[in-house]
């Protein structure tokens, strides 16, 4: 279990890079890396040499998240002005512009089969599900208000939804909130299942293990990475080691390792068996907002993006 | 058997007196002597015989009778014998005086002796033996104790006539008058250089003067002259050799004293001296031998103080204190000799000292010290006294005693250490430091000195302390001694303090050794991570998945240890390891291995539930994770153990502030202060902070209340500073109050100093002072500096995650009119704190302001620099985009306000939306105009380009013409040459020249045409511009008003009233005023929420309000602004 630094691109964007994801390879192109930045652009990169494939403009205010359709043909990017732009990867034609006021847009993820796009809806305390065929809003998964609280309660604000993740089967969906709670939903029945407690500060990133649909990994501002049994409502382990917020987590394709990016400017590789970080990469000079394993054929690449405007690639083995 | 014959008077008969049958009663023999008027030498012989038989009384009786006045009268002409008798008596009394222990009687004896000598010298001034005796007597007081007894012994045994005269010299010696004694003996020796007693006396004098070698010479001469001399001579030789450091030969001499059959096998002095020489050898056998000899000496003569002292010393070391006391008491009774008594008292004191009876020990040390005339002679009691006084807390006296020791032995490490210790107690650290440094220099192998040095430096010089401790550790290790857990703990803590975490961890682990904690800390790889089927029960217990619902309460969970105990694992923690374990846990916290740290803290609490610090650390961890309820619960646990713990109370107050529980918090802080009798500066500081927050907290500021709170805060800070001038937090607080009062320069000075002081230790993290400094720069209009300071602070302390500082930064960019930076900063802040709507609102305002100002500038640019038009258009377009963004932001907020996510008034947001839309429309016109301008410009450029092309064309044509003309000339010449021959060609030639001129005319016409067209267009554009100006002037008004508003209202409500009065007729203006008001509200909303959040840095947030109030450019007087606010509120 090891990360080996491959290459970095210093000024990939003109400003902080806030989001990254891998586009699966298609028959026409190999896998690409997709990044979004405060400079209001979305860029596509060839991972082999980190050469720029294209720059997409059109967003106002910073791009906060990017999502790739499993087909690799479609991708979505979202910015702080709460618009989601769905575009064709090859032609950069806008397929749809999604908006569900008054809810904002934070993290997004396509479901594993590619039929639904889940969008974390911020202050609406809900996750919006969009149908990918007609680009219509098909469901709103709301986090139930805690008992006894009035709708006017300012406390409601705490359920502000930041992050979202689909289970590998696509049946379950988890979302993380500002107050540190994680909510698990049954998607088919559009039903809230339960909360996973343990974090006490915003949960900015969630990831299911690709092998074990029960294992959910979360990263939070409380500097910890938790591993939950999402079904059994138990906390396997709480791993501390970052010295500031954990901004992003991802599970390796073999399910054996967890990567994390943090405000402490490091990327760490964790061995859940040891409950400890086995490696710390210090090549970034500012907050690391995104880490992502390539889940496809190559399966051994990890990308990280940071406020220092750079992108880094590592070989995972 | 020898006998004497007393001649019978007036006859030839003699009375035979057998010397071994002398009558018991001396009166009988005296009667005979008197009756027969026997010669005086017979008296002397008989007296001597009595003395030899130990019949001292009879001896005395005869001699006294023999020196009575009648005898003097009768034998007036027999001078020599009379002198001899007197001298014998003198010698006898000298001897008595010498052996007498009681001072008074001793003196009496000496007085008597002196009288006899004097009487003798009156008989004949020139008899040398008298002088010798006198000289020798003087020496008695000051001579070495052994020799004291030796010399008179010689005299008594050697009762020859010459020897008796020697006794007079003794007298001088006895009075301590060495020089006179020397002179007296010299007189004798000058007369007879082999006079043995005089030689002995002189040897004694020389010995006393410290001239051991010449003393030795004298003794040797005695031996040569008189080989059968008594043992005492050899004793003298031995002593001289001893003093000269020739121990082996000294020993031989002493042994000779004992061995020689004709000498003195039971000579106490020799035995003692031998014992001392043996001791000198410093070997076990030697010491044993010494003890044996001392014991023998004791058997022979139980009152020899030296032997007694030595034996006492011996028994002290064997621990038989009872014997020590007895022996020393006897020794004290047996001698008046100062230094011997000092030794005895010292032994006694030491005995009590070792038994822990410091009072008595002190008394005896004191007695011992009193006996010592010069500390150089016997320093040990001073040291002992110092030790006891130190023990009893009398530092000053102790110090003076130790200093005396140092005067004699300036390089004695133990004393140096003791002195350093006292200096430390007396707070004279420099002196303590010097002493320790010296001790270490002298003995670089003494771990204790290094430990002491380490302790000394620990608070002032961590690097030095660390070095000292490390050296001590290495020394101990080299000596194979156990390194105590305290030392390792100290080393670990120092490493920790210096940020050398790995070393710290190693050291702590070494200190802790083996134990259950190793398993709890260790996280080696396992066979199965999630299955819970670990072979090791500790692992299994540790890796037990927990119910996620209980996860938040993990820090109170003791189940882990209960489970372990159930599994039969002994959970043990020795008490002496708590501190180190707690330090290790603290280190893990620093390394962000917080979970491990929490397990260790819980282990401590499991075994020692009264260890308050562990509760507090756990509470701090919970607090850092924002788990306020759990944190409070943990503190309550701590308070249950100790309800007066000021730290716990302060923390509780802090948390109550976080919960916005103002009144409760204040009570708690007060309780904390009372619990520590006002001595805990932190509690006072907290109260100060509370007052400061209270002053700036309320939205509607009541000036009176504010002033009282501020005053109170200042008072409290000052109080802390008086008690602890080095308290940075108090200094920071004082700086804030000063800044609050507008004394920026002083505040800046304070902050800068605190900032400097705060850099260096990992335990002191003071981002607040950076922020405050930045605030002051901001308030003084130093935007660039403020920005730098905010950025550094963010990066240095917060990993760029603090949205509040980002807000300050954005505000500074805003004031500095760096719109893009302002916007980016705010967006970053939103990204970090997505649910903070204030940031969104501020972004909207910033965009609005940016657009307005750009539009205004655009106009100017259009007027002034026409060729930058393309850029302007670009800017206008960007502006329009930003305006649209602003509109969208405000609309979103407006929509969100329906859901009551935030506290903004919907109407006010809509006002902003309205204004932005209004601006947008204006901008549209402006944009169109700019675009038109741009088009025209492009057109003009196009024309210019065309004109240039045309010019080029005409130039080309001209050239062509020239070429043609040239050609024609040549042709002309050619023609001229050929004219005559080619007449027919002429007509053709003519045609050619006319066609060239026609072409030229046409080109000129075209040029004119082009110029006219350009002018026409220019005129047209002028007209357009005029029309623009109308629109612009309208814009102008609005922009100016708008600018005032955003400038002032956004952060300075005080100006806003003026605006309203001025612009009553202006509709959008009113709306904007309202919007501006909203701005300040928004800011106030943001401030208190975060105020409560931070312990010490809270004021920095509130500072945010403060520079806004006092913008150097626009706010006039503080009073004014307050008044206006009040009226505003009404």
């Amino acid at each position: 279990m090891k990360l080996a630094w491959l290459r970095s691109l210093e000024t990939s964007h003109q400003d902080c890079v806030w989001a990254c994801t891998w586009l699966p390879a298609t028959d026409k192109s190999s896998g690409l890396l997709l990044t979004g930045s405060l400079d209001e652009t979305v860029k596509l990169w060839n991972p082999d040499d980190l050469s720029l494939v294209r720059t997409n403009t059109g967003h106002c205010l910073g791009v906060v998240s990017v999502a790739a359709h499993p087909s690799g043909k479609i991708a979505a990017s979202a910015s702080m002005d709460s618009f989601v732009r769905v575009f064709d990867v090859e032609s950069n034609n806008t397929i749809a512009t999604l908006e569900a006021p008054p809810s904002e847009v934070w993290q997004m993820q396509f479901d594993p089969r590619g039929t639904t796009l889940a969008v974390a809806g911020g202050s609406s305390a809900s996750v919006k599900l969009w149908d990918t065929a007609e680009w219509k809003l098909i469901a709103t998964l709301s986090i139930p208000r805690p008992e006894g609280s009035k709708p006017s309660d300012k406390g409601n604000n705490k359920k502000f939804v930041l992050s979202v993740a689909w289970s590998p089967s696509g049946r379950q969906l988890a979302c993380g909130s500002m107050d540190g709670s994680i909510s698990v939903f049954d998607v088919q029945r559009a039903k809230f299942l339960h909360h996973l407690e343990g974090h006490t500060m915003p949960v900015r990133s969630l990831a299911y293990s690709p092998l074990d649909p029960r294992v959910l990994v979360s990263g939070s501002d409380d500097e910890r990475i938790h591993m939950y049994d999402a079904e059994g409502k138990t906390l396997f382990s709480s791993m501390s080691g970052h010295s500031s917020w954990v901004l992003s987590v991802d599970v390796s394709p073999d399910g054996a390792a967890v990567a994390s990016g943090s405000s402490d400017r490091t990327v760490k590789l964790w061995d859940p068996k040891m409950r400890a970080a086995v490696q710390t990469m210090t090549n970034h000079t500012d907050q690391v907002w995104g880490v992502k394993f390539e889940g496809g054929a190559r399966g051994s690449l990890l990308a990280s993006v940071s406020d220092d405007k750079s992108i880094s690639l590592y070989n995972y083995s | 058997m020898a006998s004497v014959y007393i001649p019978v008077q007036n006859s030839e008969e003699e009375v035979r007196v057998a010397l071994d049958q002398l009558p018991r009663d001396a009166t009988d023999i005296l009667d005979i002597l008197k009756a027969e008027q026997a010669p005086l030498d017979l008296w002397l012989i008989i007296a001597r015989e009595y003395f030899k038989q130990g019949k001292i009384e009879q001896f005395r009786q005869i001699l006294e009778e023999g020196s009575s006045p009648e005898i003097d009268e009768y034998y007036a002409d027999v001078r020599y014998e009379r002198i001899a008798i007197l001298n014998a008596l003198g010698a006898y009394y000298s001897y008595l005086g010498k052996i007498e222990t009681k001072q008074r009687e001793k003196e009496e004896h000496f007085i008597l002796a002196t009288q006899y000598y004097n009487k003798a010298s009156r008989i004949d001034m020139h008899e040398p033996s008298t002088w010798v005796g006198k000289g020798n007597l003087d020496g008695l007081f000051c001579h070495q104790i052994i020799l004291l007894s030796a010399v008179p012994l010689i005299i008594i045994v050697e009762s020859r006539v010459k020897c008796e005269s020697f006794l007079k010299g003794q007298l001088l010696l006895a009075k301590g008058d060495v020089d006179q004694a020397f002179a007296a003996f010299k007189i004798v020796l000058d007369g007879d250089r082999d006079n043995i007693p005089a030689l002995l006396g002189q040897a004694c004098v020389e010995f006393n003067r410290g001239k051991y070698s010449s003393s030795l010479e004298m003794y040797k001469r005695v031996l040569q002259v008189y080989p059968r001399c008594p043992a005492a001579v050899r004793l003298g030789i031995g002593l001289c050799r001893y003093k000269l450091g020739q121990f082996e030969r000294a020993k031989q001499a002493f042994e000779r004293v004992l061995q020689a059959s004709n000498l003195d096998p039971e000579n106490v002095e020799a035995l003692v001296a031998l014992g001392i020489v043996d001791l000198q050898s410093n070997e076990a056998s030697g010491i044993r031998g010494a003890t044996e000899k001392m014991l023998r000496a004791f058997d022979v003569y139980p009152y020899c103080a030296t032997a007694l002292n030595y034996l006492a010393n011996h028994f002290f070391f064997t621990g038989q204190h009872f014997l020590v006391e007895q022996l020393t008491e006897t020794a004290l009774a047996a001698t008046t000799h100062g230094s011997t008594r000092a030794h005895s008292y010292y032994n006694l004191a030491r005995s009590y000292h070792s038994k822990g009876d410091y009072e008595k020990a002190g008394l005896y040390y004191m007695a011992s010290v009193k006996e010592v005339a010069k500390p150089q002679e016997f320093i040990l009691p001073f040291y002992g006294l110092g030790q006891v006084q130190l023990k009893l807390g009398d530092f000053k006296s102790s110090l003076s005693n130790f200093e005396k020791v140092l005067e004699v032995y300036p390089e004695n490490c133990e004393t140096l250490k003791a002195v350093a210790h006292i200096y430390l107690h007396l707070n004279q650290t420099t002196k303590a430091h010097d002493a320790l440094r010296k001790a270490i220099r002298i003995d670089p192998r003494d771990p204790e000195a290094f430990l002491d040095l380490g302790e000394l430096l620990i608070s002032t010089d961590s690097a030095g302390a660390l070095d000292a401790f490390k050296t001590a550790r290495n020394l101990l290790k080299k000596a194979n001694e156990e390194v105590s857990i305290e030392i390792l703990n100290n080393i670990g803590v120092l490493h920790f303090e210096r940020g050398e975490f790995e070393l710290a961890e190693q050291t702590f682990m070494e200190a802790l050794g083996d134990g259950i904690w190793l398993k709890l800390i260790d996280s080696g790889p396992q066979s199965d991570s999630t299955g819970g089927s670990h072979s090791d029960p500790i692992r299994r217990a540790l890796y037990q998945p927990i119910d996620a619902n209980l996860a938040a309460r993990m820090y109170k969970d003791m189940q882990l240890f209960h489970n372990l105990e159930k599994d039969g694992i002994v959970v043990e923690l020795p008490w002496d390891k708590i501190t180190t374990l707690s330090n290790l846990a603290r280190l893990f916290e620093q390394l962000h291995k917080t979970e491990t740290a929490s397990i260790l803290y819980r282990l401590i609490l499991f075994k020692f539930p009264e260890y308050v610090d562990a509760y507090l650390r756990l509470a701090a961890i919970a607090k850092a994770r924002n788990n306020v309820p759990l944190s409070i619960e943990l503190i309550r646990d701590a308070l249950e153990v100790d309800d007066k713990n000021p730290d716990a109370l302060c923390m509780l107050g802090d948390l109550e502030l976080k919960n916005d529980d103002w009144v409760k918090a204040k009570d708690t802080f007060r309780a904390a202060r009372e619990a520590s009798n006002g001595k805990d500066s932190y509690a006072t500081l907290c109260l100060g902070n509370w007052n400061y927050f209270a002053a700036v907290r309320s939205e509607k500021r009541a000036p009176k209340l504010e002033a009282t709170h501020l005053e109170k805060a200042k008072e409290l800070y000052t109080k802390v500073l008086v008690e602890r001038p080095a308290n940075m937090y108090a200094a920071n607080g004082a700086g804030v109050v000063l800044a609050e009062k507008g004394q920026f320069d002083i505040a800046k000075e304070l902050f800068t100093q605190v900032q400097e002081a705060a850099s260096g230790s990992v335990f002191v993290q003071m981002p607040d002072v950076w922020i405050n400094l930045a605030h002051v720069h901001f308030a003084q209009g130093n935007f660039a500096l403020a920005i730098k300071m905010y950025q550094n602070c963010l990066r240095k302390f917060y990993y760029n995650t603090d949205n509040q500082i980002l807000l300050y930064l954005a505000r500074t960019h805003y004031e500095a009119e760096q719109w893009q930076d302002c916007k980016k900063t705010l967006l970053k802040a939103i990204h970090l704190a997505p649910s903070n709507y204030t940031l969104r609102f501020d972004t909207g305002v910033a965009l609005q302001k940016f657009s307005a100002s750009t539009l205004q500038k655009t106009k100017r640019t259009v007027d002034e620099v026409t060729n930058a038009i393309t850029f302007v258009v670009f800017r206008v377009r960007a502006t329009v985009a930003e305006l649209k963004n602003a509109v969208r932001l405000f609309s979103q907020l407006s929509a969100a306000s329906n859901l009551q996510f935030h506290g903004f008034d919907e109407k006010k947001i809509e006002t902003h939306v309205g204004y932005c839309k209004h601006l947008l429309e204006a901008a549209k016109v402006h944009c169109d105009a700019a675009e038109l301008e741009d088009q025209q410009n492009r057109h003009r450029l196009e024309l210019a380009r065309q004109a240039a092309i045309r010019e080029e064309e005409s130039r080309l044509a001209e050239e062509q013409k020239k070429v043609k003309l040239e050609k024609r000339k040549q042709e002309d010449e050619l023609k001229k040459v050929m004219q005559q021959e080619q007449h027919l060609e002429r007509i053709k030639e003519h045609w050619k020249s006319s066609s060239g001129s026609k072409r030229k005319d046409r080109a000129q016409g075209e040029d004119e045409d082009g110029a006219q067209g350009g002018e026409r267009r220019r005129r047209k554009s002028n007209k357009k511009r005029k029309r623009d100006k109308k629109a612009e002037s309208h814009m102008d008004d609005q922009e100016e008003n708008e600018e005032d508003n955003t400038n002032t209202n956004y952060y300075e409500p005080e100006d806003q009233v003026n605006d309203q009065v001025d612009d009553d007729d202006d509709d959008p203006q009113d709306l904007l005023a309202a919007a501006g008001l909203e701005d300040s509200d928004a800011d106030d909303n943001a401030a208190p929420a975060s105020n409560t959040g931070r312990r010490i840095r809270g004021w920095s947030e509130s500072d945010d309000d403060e520079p806004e109030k006092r913008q150097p450019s626009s706010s006039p007087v503080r009073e004014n602004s307050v008044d206006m606010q009040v009226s505003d509120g009404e």
Side-chain angles (χ1 to χ4, degrees), chain A residues 81 200 204 224 235 285, chain B residues 546 595 625 795 832 888:
Chain A
D81 59 5
T200 42
R204 289 186 194 260
R224 288 181 186 49
L235 175 63
T285 57
Chain B
I546 353 165
E595 298 308 314
R625 294 192 64 185
R795 197 166 174 82
L832 289 167
R888 186 163 167 81

Side-chain angles (χ1 to χ4, degrees), chain A residues 22-24 67-76 110 113-115 132 135:
Chain A
W22 289 95
L23 276 165
H69 192 269
S71 69
K73 289 176 184 155
I74 301 173
F110 283 99
R113 283 167 299 151
T115 56
T132 55
W135 300 110

Side-chain angles (χ1 to χ4, degrees), chain A residues 238 275, chain B residues 520 541-542 546 550-551 553-562 571 573 581-582 585 594-609 611 614-615 617-618 621 630 634:
Chain A
S238 172
R275 302 183 160 198
Chain B
L520 294 174
L542 265 181
I546 353 165
L550 298 176
R553 303 186 38 79
M554 222 157 60
Y555 298 138
K556 284 202 66 168
D557 176 45
M558 293 291 170
Q559 198 58 41
L560 170 67
F561 304 110
H562 287 298
V571 181
L573 173 60
L581 196 63
S582 159
T594 326
E595 298 308 314
T596 319
S598 102
I599 291 174
L600 293 185
Y601 285 131
R602 278 183 281 156
L603 171 65
I604 295 174
L605 288 178
F606 181 66
K607 299 305 286 182
F608 300 93
Y611 196 77
Y615 285 114
R617 283 318 307 167
L618 282 173
I621 296 176
L630 180 66
L634 282 162

